[in-house]
Amino acid sequence: MSTRTAVITGASAGIGEAAARALAGSGFHVVLGARRLDRLRPLAEELSGTAHLLDVTDAESVESFVQQIPECHVLVNNAGGARGLERVEEAGEDNWRWMWQTNVLGTLRVTKALLPKLIASGDGHVITVTSIAGHEVYDGGAGYTSAKHAQSALHQTLRSEHLGDPLRLTEVIPGMVETDFSLNRFEGDTERAAQVYQGLQPLTAEDVADVIAFAATRPPHVNLDQITVKPRAQHHGSRVHRE
Ligand code: NAP
């Protein structure tokens, strides 16, 4: 069988970087996209893949990214994240706009642009990294939970719209993962970010990447629809056991 190509958005850090390593380790040719090319290039070199500038919030950037990809079997919609933790009465529109632009419209833009190539591959697979925040709500989280709910709804709709096409769709739904996620959410406040993971063992980016690679390496007739993965010490977004 010829080498299959996996495109990973937000591959410059965290879950995306780990997914790129895991998929390359499973035999995929990896195509990496993110805004920080200085981080993508050495990773692409190490994995014998390719790196391209990608800002999922910019339609032109998505277009030029996709034009550089001759074929695509697997798309991992991973670029995203959270900004802020304000109650609705305090909500800032800039944070909301960032979260909706990146998680929701970003996933829409990249998926829409790559769908023809995914289907033409004869065995396409869209893997979208949403979150347990896409399936529950918590105080202060409305900007992020609403964006992740919308991203999940978009993904699930595609599963139905493309029934009958050679296209698989897997939603990976992580709980707490220790990456730069909280640091970015709290604008570089390291102390506040560290508190999120205090007293429990969170998932690592590699734990989630294992799940992504597992889903991507099932036979073509097997569709893992939704996979939720959490640390043992976490039940809900805000219900965790801390030592
Ligand atoms: P991270 O370490 O902050 O990584 C985020 C990635 O997204 C980076 O590679 C970043 O790359 C990329 N990104 C951000 N904005 C982008 C844009 N406009 N265009 C292209 N790429 C962009 O966070 P992470 O934890 O790995 O998050 C990855 C995904 O997992 C996100 O969708 C997040 O919502 C989801 N998730 C995370 C957790 C968690 O607890 N960590 C839990 C559930 C779900 P550049 O900055 O280089 O562009």
Side-chain angles (χ1 to χ4, degrees):
M1 205 172 73
S2 61
T3 305
R4 287 160 58 78
T5 295
V7 175
I8 302 114
T9 70
S12 60
I15 295 169
E17 177 182 345
R21 288 184 196 284
L23 289 166
S26 300
F28 285 90
H29 169 70
V30 289
V31 177
L32 317 179
R35 293 165 304 174
R36 286 171 292 175
L37 259 188
D38 57 321
R39 293 180 64 126
L40 281 189
R41 282 203 180 107
L43 181 65
E45 200 170 314
E46 179 194 326
L47 303 178
S48 303
T50 53
H52 305 293
L53 187 67
L54 171 67
D55 180 348
V56 299
T57 68
D58 177 349
E60 277 177 25
S61 171
V62 172
E63 199 188 315
S64 98
F65 177 72
V66 167
Q67 274 173 5
Q68 296 174 79
I69 302 171
E71 56 173 13
C72 177
H73 300 84
V74 174
L75 163 64
V76 182
N77 282 314
N78 165 78
R83 288 293 179 275
L85 191 64
E86 302 91 31
R87 291 164 58 91
V88 172
E89 59 203 349
E90 303 285 328
E93 282 196 18
D94 284 349
N95 280 346
W96 275 63
R97 237 186 305 279
W98 188 93
M99 291 187 273
W100 277 76
Q101 271 291 347
T102 312
N103 295 286
V104 187
L105 292 171
T107 297
L108 171 66
R109 284 188 193 102
V110 178
T111 308
K112 204 176 148 187
L114 279 173
L115 265 177
K117 285 174 183 159
L118 284 156
I119 292 170
S121 79
D123 178 22
H125 194 165
V126 178
I127 300 177
T128 303
V129 182
T130 64
S131 169
I132 57 172
H135 298 267
E136 55 187 68
V137 297
Y138 56 90
D139 292 4
Y144 185 56
T145 57
S146 63
K148 286 300 195 186
H149 274 73
Q151 187 190 29
S152 172
L154 158 65
H155 176 92
Q156 290 179 59
T157 303
L158 283 165
R159 173 83 172 105
S160 172
E161 286 180 350
H162 287 278
L163 212 53
D165 285 338
L167 186 72
R168 285 183 279 164
L169 283 123
T170 300
E171 180 182 359
V172 174
I173 308 169
M176 195 184 282
V177 192
E178 190 165 12
T179 60
D180 291 341
F181 175 86
S182 294
L183 199 63
N184 289 329
R185 173 172 228 172
F186 301 130
E187 293 172 68
D189 184 336
T190 46
E191 221 167 284
R192 198 170 174 204
Q195 275 170 14
V196 173
Y197 311 110
Q198 226 159 39
L200 62 83
Q201 186 175 355
L203 297 175
T204 63
E206 289 71 27
D207 294 327
V208 182
D210 277 351
V211 171
I212 293 170
F214 179 78
T217 51
R218 296 311 88 205
H221 68 289
V222 178
N223 195 98
L224 286 163
D225 277 42
Q226 292 182 319
I227 309 171
T228 304
V229 52
K230 300 175 193 170
R232 189 177 63 195
Q234 182 173 37
H235 183 216
H236 282 287
S238 46
R239 172 144 170 73
V240 297
H241 174 79
R242 295 184 197 272
E243 296 297 340

